[in-house]
Amino acid sequence: MPRIAIGVMSGPRDGDILHLEAVPGTALIVGRREDSDVCLNYDNQVSREHASIVYDGQHFWLEDLRSTNGTFLGDTRITGAVELHPGQLFRVGRTWLRLEPTTLLVAESEETSF
């Protein structure tokens, strides 16, 4: 199963790398709720369901989910879905995150299956 790696670049979890399954067409939720895929419950500027990251099988897409404080790709506030490339920084609330360049690691067993 393809994997996505999200690096936390600021705040109390600075340096953490979260490894999640990248199921094509399934949204990963970034938010303050405990059940968010990327839970940032320490950042009071993050909405409960702040943003989503979707892998379409070829590309990653970042979308703001009508959050109060916006989602930023670099310094630009986004509207609608924008393509997110490995290595790019994005911000939700006060927390900077990065789609890690190691994203889409494939399990060794899948590489050798026929």
Side-chain angles (χ1 to χ4, degrees), residues 10 15 35 37 43 51 55 61-62 64-65 71 76 93 96 98 102:
S10 65
D35 62 348
D37 298 296
D43 187 338
Y55 176 60
W61 299 92
L62 175 66
D64 183 74
L65 298 177
T71 300
T76 305
W96 284 95
R98 178 174 69 185
T102 56

Side-chain angles (χ1 to χ4, degrees), residues 45-47 50 64-70 77:
Q45 298 297 304
V46 173
S47 297
H50 196 103
D64 183 74
L65 298 177
R66 302 164 98 188
S67 67
T68 302
N69 296 308
R77 187 173 185 154

Side-chain angles (χ1 to χ4, degrees), residues 21-22 27 48 53 77 106 108-110:
E21 288 186 13
R48 288 183 189 105
I53 299 169
R77 187 173 185 154
V106 177
E108 197 171 304
S109 62
E110 289 184 2

